[in-house]
Amino acid sequence: MKAHFLQILFIFISIHLISCGDEVDSSMFEVYDGPMSTAYDIELFHSDSAVVRSHLVASKQMEFDGGDLEFPEGIEITFFDKEGNITTTMRADRGFYVKKDNLYRGEGDVQVNNLEKEQKLSSEELFWDPNAKKIFTEKFVTVQERETIFNGTGMEADEGFNEYKLFKVTNSRTILPGED
């Protein structure tokens, strides 16, 4: 009887000890998906055959696991010709880089300015593919060529914004004198 009592006591104590363990906060096991590092006053250069082809500037860059980047305070990219002259500028309120696709995305107030052809583009989102050397969007776009404005949804162009295709053109008009 005493052995039976000790077995019951042992089982009771074991169950009690197991059930009285500290509660574990499950948030301690969540995977961190925030930035791994943050850098300020960034300047990145892309070159081809030792010639600088583009220059990226950002006030703040956050790098995430896997190499993706975010530029929460804006991004500016300048493109150069083979002689080193500035040909085109791009800017956006926020920027992102997806490493696995080697693709940049600007969002917010996105502006592209081709200085040689006096062409300007504005959109709320624009992608730059450095491998294909092109820019594109599926969003609404306004393109100004000297005295003419074109509006459409979707656009594809070379990265220098020299030649472009505007999709789903909604209207175009001539700029009146004194209008900007």
Side-chain angles (χ1 to χ4, degrees), residues 75 92-96 105-110 123-126:
I75 185 172
D93 291 340
R94 287 172 306 286
F96 303 88
R105 176 173 51 98
E107 66 180 34
D109 180 18
V110 181
S123 184
E124 62 187 42
E125 180 179 67
L126 189 71

Side-chain angles (χ1 to χ4, degrees), residues 44-47 53-57 71 75-80 88 90-92 95-98 101-107 110 112 125-137 155 157-161:
L44 300 174
F45 293 90
H46 290 95
S47 62
R53 299 310 308 238
S54 64
H55 178 217
L56 180 147
V57 176
F71 307 94
I75 185 172
E76 295 180 16
I77 304 172
T78 305
F79 293 95
F80 301 90
T88 306
M90 247 190 270
R91 64 153 308 281
F96 303 88
Y97 172 72
V98 178
D101 299 328
N102 191 30
L103 190 65
Y104 288 87
R105 176 173 51 98
E107 66 180 34
V110 181
V112 179
E125 180 179 67
L126 189 71
F127 293 89
W128 172 42
D129 183 339
N131 289 341
K133 298 184 186 295
K134 70 177 189 174
I135 57 175
F136 59 93
T137 186
M155 184 277 316
D158 63 284
E159 68 184 4
F161 191 51

Side-chain angles (χ1 to χ4, degrees), residues 9-145:
L9 183 62
F10 177 74
I11 292 172
F12 177 74
I13 291 173
S14 297
I15 291 172
H16 182 63
L17 289 175
I18 291 172
S19 66
C20 290
D22 290 335
E23 293 274 336
V24 177
D25 183 7
S26 63
S27 67
M28 293 174 53
F29 298 109
E30 292 178 8
V31 176
Y32 176 72
D33 63 351
M36 300 309 225
S37 67
T38 301
Y40 298 91
D41 299 323
I42 297 299
E43 291 192 48
L44 300 174
F45 293 90
H46 290 95
S47 62
D48 183 13
S49 304
V51 176
V52 174
R53 299 310 308 238
S54 64
H55 178 217
L56 180 147
V57 176
S59 306
K60 181 178 181 180
Q61 171 188 290
M62 298 185 308
E63 184 172 359
F64 294 83
D65 192 28
D68 292 347
L69 304 174
E70 182 177 338
F71 307 94
E73 296 176 5
I75 185 172
E76 295 180 16
I77 304 172
T78 305
F79 293 95
F80 301 90
D81 63 15
K82 291 179 182 175
E83 289 78 42
N85 302 312
I86 297 173
T87 60
T88 306
T89 61
M90 247 190 270
R91 64 153 308 281
D93 291 340
R94 287 172 306 286
F96 303 88
Y97 172 72
V98 178
K99 185 174 181 174
K100 72 177 180 72
D101 299 328
N102 191 30
L103 190 65
Y104 288 87
R105 176 173 51 98
E107 66 180 34
D109 180 18
V110 181
Q111 303 287 324
V112 179
N113 188 3
N114 181 315
L115 304 173
E116 296 174 322
K117 291 193 166 191
E118 298 180 29
Q119 294 177 166
K120 296 178 183 178
L121 173 143
S122 62
S123 184
E124 62 187 42
E125 180 179 67
L126 189 71
F127 293 89
W128 172 42
D129 183 339
N131 289 341
K133 298 184 186 295
K134 70 177 189 174
I135 57 175
F136 59 93
T137 186
E138 293 180 3
K139 303 285 185 174
F140 183 79
V141 176
T142 298
V143 175
Q144 180 181 342
E145 277 190 28

